[in-house]
Amino acid sequence: MGRDVPALVFTRDDRRRFRNKMHTCLDVFAQMLRESRFDFERPQVGIEIELNLVDADAEPAMRSADVLEAIADPSWSSELGRFNLEINIAPRELTAGGRGSWEQEIRGALDHAEEQAAAVGAHLIMIGILPTLELKDVGPESLSENPRYHLLNEQIFSARGEDLLIAVDGVEKLRTYTETITPEAACTSTQFHLQVSPDEFADYWNAAQAVAGVQVALAANSPFLFGKELWRETRIPLFEQATDTRPDEIKVQGVRPRVWFGERWITSVFDLFEENARYFPALLPLCDDEDPQEILAGGGIPGLAELTLHNGTVYRWNRPVYAVVDGVPHLRVENRVLPAGPTVADVLSNGAFYYGLVRALVDEDRPVWSRMSFAAAEDNLHAAARHGIDAQLYWPGMGEVPATELVLRRLLPLADRGLERLGLDAAWREPLLGIIEQRCVSGRNGAVWQSETFHHIHDIGHVDRHQALRRMTRQYIDFMHMNAPAHTWPVE
């Protein structure tokens, strides 16, 4: 989905051919689902982490190309902005390597990258939105050199026909127009991948949708954008707006947004790919030479290039993924709602909570999505993004309750049960879920710490606003490297 593309000008014939090829891919995919050709006997998990680059003063560093060259590792890749990078941690079985091995692998990779980045004058930070980022930092010149992002920028603004309004009403109000999609680069996330069987995909996707709001409430880490304090997880509304291809007149006609929660529970993974083709015109209509029907008929496994490329330009918060590895296809749920950071310990506790909870929900006799409206799940996501760990969320059988109460009373025991079924013993589970528990008990996460620390420096110390954000960010980086969970960070 994230593959590089050449710089092109698309014709009407390109778009017609791409649409026809995508529908051929859909037919082949449906046949593959019927014939059970997928790998799911030993399911794997994976993590992608997006990071920001800063200089010694915690200001954005437009050095991604230099840092990637210094790191020289194919696990690392460019992102939308020149101040972003992404690491793709190799997929694995959840219990592979034993307790602590995944954390050691991730910390080792990040420490190595930080050392190489420092050699060229940059530093890495895991955070949902970089607090020192200003509007001047997200102009056209800040787009990554990768032609894919320049093409996306051209296609999105061609579809819109006008500049983009970013408007967020939170603690403060933000109103600004932009002529590029580069503000999207302010959003850096952690993405959890979960390989599942075709028969169980719908249940896992529905479960992931049901808990998306809870995840965001617990892990909110993006309270500042362009110098203003907005939502606890401002990344959610910013991402929804920064890639919107719809001018106002198209919105009121009911055309779906490309950053999309969805509109219904599903019964098959096919539903999601079919919706992609039905609702969204191609942004990158590039046709592959592969004939998927011919390859399938000959006993091979097609890559379904058009289907996957198009899927990569529909930004669902829980995205379906089709991939072929060593000639064997598989399906994954890509969970995309969480911000990056604050620490590796926090990231892995978020992952444990997510993997355990969705497993337990899938195993329930009466699944939560049969007792909860889809609209309630979407409302939870936006309430959590606005209010973070202080959000009130709806859950069947409990009504609207504080997110912390919902987690402590109902969801944390479910996550523990799910992790046990996934093979994690108590000595493994308890430290991971203990971080989630203590976040709820203390009512503190990354967003709370950022806000309190900023106000301590700015309001009490009478420090200039941007200077306060910079000092807070430098403290954040120091604590991030200590790897103590964010709920334990002092306000200094």
Side-chain angles (χ1 to χ4, degrees), residues 43-49 73-76 86-97 101-103 105-107 109 191-195 325 330 332 348 355:
Q44 297 187 319
V45 297
I47 301 180
E48 296 175 71
I49 303 173
D73 183 334
S75 298
W76 290 85
E86 178 180 274
I87 183 171
N88 191 334
I89 305 297
R92 58 191 285 145
E93 293 180 53
L94 186 60
T95 56
S101 66
W102 214 9
E103 180 172 356
E105 178 184 349
I106 296 170
R107 290 193 68 188
Q191 296 150 25
F192 293 114
H193 290 254
L194 177 60
Q195 184 181 336
V325 177
H330 70 258
R332 304 194 304 269
L348 289 180
Y355 289 131

Side-chain angles (χ1 to χ4, degrees), residues 69-130:
E69 184 178 359
I71 295 173
D73 183 334
S75 298
W76 290 85
S77 60
S78 62
E79 258 296 324
L80 177 63
R82 293 175 59 217
F83 53 92
N84 301 138
L85 292 179
E86 178 180 274
I87 183 171
N88 191 334
I89 305 297
R92 58 191 285 145
E93 293 180 53
L94 186 60
T95 56
R99 196 180 316 153
S101 66
W102 214 9
E103 180 172 356
Q104 292 169 10
E105 178 184 349
I106 296 170
R107 290 193 68 188
L110 294 178
D111 288 347
H112 170 74
E114 167 63 23
E115 182 180 340
Q116 300 305 310
V120 297
H123 302 277
L124 303 178
I125 175 172
M126 288 193 301
I127 195 165
I129 295 175
L130 182 62

Side-chain angles (χ1 to χ4, degrees), residues 24-279:
T24 298
C25 287
L26 269 177
D27 292 340
V28 170
F29 184 56
Q31 183 179 344
M32 293 176 70
L33 291 173
R34 290 193 300 270
E35 295 174 358
S36 301
R37 294 172 176 252
F38 291 82
D39 175 26
F40 55 86
E41 294 300 324
R42 301 177 64 187
Q44 297 187 319
V45 297
I47 301 180
E48 296 175 71
I49 303 173
E50 298 167 351
L51 302 100
N52 284 283
L53 293 172
V54 295
D55 61 20
D57 292 322
E59 300 284 0
M62 307 294 172
R63 303 294 301 277
S64 60
D66 296 333
V67 173
L68 282 173
E69 184 178 359
I71 295 173
D73 183 334
S75 298
W76 290 85
S77 60
S78 62
E79 258 296 324
L80 177 63
R82 293 175 59 217
F83 53 92
N84 301 138
L85 292 179
E86 178 180 274
I87 183 171
N88 191 334
I89 305 297
R92 58 191 285 145
E93 293 180 53
L94 186 60
T95 56
R99 196 180 316 153
S101 66
W102 214 9
E103 180 172 356
Q104 292 169 10
E105 178 184 349
I106 296 170
R107 290 193 68 188
L110 294 178
D111 288 347
H112 170 74
E114 167 63 23
E115 182 180 340
Q116 300 305 310
V120 297
H123 302 277
L124 303 178
I125 175 172
M126 288 193 301
I127 195 165
I129 295 175
L130 182 62
T132 55
L133 194 73
E134 298 183 276
L135 192 58
K136 66 180 177 60
D137 298 315
V138 292
E141 68 284 353
S142 301
L143 267 178
S144 166
E145 292 89 341
N146 190 326
R148 169 187 171 86
Y149 301 118
H150 289 269
L151 264 178
L152 276 174
N153 184 65
E154 292 168 9
Q155 295 301 307
I156 286 173
F157 276 87
S158 175
R160 282 188 60 81
E162 62 188 54
D163 286 351
L164 182 71
L165 172 65
I166 295 174
V168 185
D169 292 344
V171 177
E172 299 174 287
K173 292 185 178 182
L174 173 68
R175 291 285 189 284
T176 188
Y177 283 90
T178 177
E179 60 180 349
T180 75
I181 62 170
T182 320
E184 182 198 332
C187 307
T188 44
S189 65
T190 300
Q191 296 150 25
F192 293 114
H193 290 254
L194 177 60
Q195 184 181 336
V196 297
S197 72
D199 289 344
E200 291 188 308
F201 186 96
D203 287 350
Y204 275 97
W205 187 86
N206 289 341
Q209 292 285 97
V211 303
V214 180
Q215 288 181 273
V216 169
L218 290 173
N221 196 32
S222 313
F224 294 98
L225 174 64
F226 302 148
K228 293 183 179 291
E229 186 174 5
L230 301 169
W231 290 15
R232 286 309 201 207
E233 188 50 39
T234 306
R235 206 182 103 263
I236 298 293
L238 174 60
F239 194 52
E240 289 176 340
Q241 295 177 34
T243 54
D244 200 339
T245 58
R246 308 167 303 161
D248 289 344
E249 295 83 358
I250 298 299
K251 291 180 186 178
V252 298
Q253 294 177 34
V255 173
R256 279 82 173 171
R258 292 196 89 97
V259 177
W260 200 33
F261 188 77
E263 59 193 17
R264 61 186 174 118
W265 306 117
I266 65 169
T267 58
S268 167
V269 62
F270 186 82
D271 296 348
L272 301 178
F273 285 103
E274 191 274 335
E275 283 180 347
N276 289 353
R278 179 153 43 108
Y279 294 142

Side-chain angles (χ1 to χ4, degrees), residues 252-393:
V252 298
Q253 294 177 34
V255 173
R256 279 82 173 171
R258 292 196 89 97
V259 177
W260 200 33
F261 188 77
E263 59 193 17
R264 61 186 174 118
W265 306 117
I266 65 169
T267 58
S268 167
V269 62
F270 186 82
D271 296 348
L272 301 178
F273 285 103
E274 191 274 335
E275 283 180 347
N276 289 353
R278 179 153 43 108
Y279 294 142
F280 301 103
L283 287 179
L284 302 173
L286 292 161
C287 285
D288 193 86
D289 292 336
E290 174 190 86
D291 183 334
Q293 291 174 321
E294 182 179 304
I295 288 177
L296 190 65
I301 300 298
L304 306 182
E306 292 76 17
L307 194 75
T308 60
L309 179 61
H310 187 53
N311 186 50
T313 64
V314 179
Y315 304 99
R316 296 178 185 271
W317 293 113
N318 284 290
R319 177 189 273 164
V321 177
Y322 166 87
V324 181
V325 177
D326 297 328
V328 181
H330 70 258
L331 297 172
R332 304 194 304 269
V333 178
E334 181 188 14
N335 179 250
R336 300 162 49 83
V337 296
L338 291 186
T343 66
V344 174
D346 285 300
V347 167
L348 289 180
S349 68
N350 294 337
F353 180 75
Y354 167 71
Y355 289 131
L357 183 55
V358 294
R359 170 60 190 266
L361 292 176
V362 165
D363 287 346
E364 286 190 318
D365 292 334
R366 191 180 174 204
V368 65
W369 53 93
S370 70
R371 299 177 284 126
M372 179 182 188
S373 73
F374 196 86
E378 184 173 15
D379 289 345
N380 278 350
L381 175 65
H382 288 99
R386 180 181 288 273
H387 301 293
I389 205 163
D390 295 322
Q392 299 276 325
L393 304 179

Side-chain angles (χ1 to χ4, degrees), residues 372 380 392-402 405-406 409-410:
M372 179 182 188
N380 278 350
Q392 299 276 325
L393 304 179
Y394 172 80
W395 197 259
M398 296 184 72
E400 193 168 282
V401 294
E405 180 183 342
L406 170 59
R409 284 180 50 196
R410 182 68 60 88

Side-chain angles (χ1 to χ4, degrees), residues 433-462:
L433 295 183
I435 292 174
I436 301 296
E437 179 183 35
Q438 289 306 307
R439 262 190 233 160
C440 293
V441 170
S442 65
R444 301 182 61 75
N445 58 16
V448 172
W449 182 88
Q450 287 188 55
S451 176
E452 288 185 356
T453 302
F454 165 76
H455 286 291
H456 180 78
I457 297 169
H458 178 262
D459 301 350
I460 299 174
H462 304 291

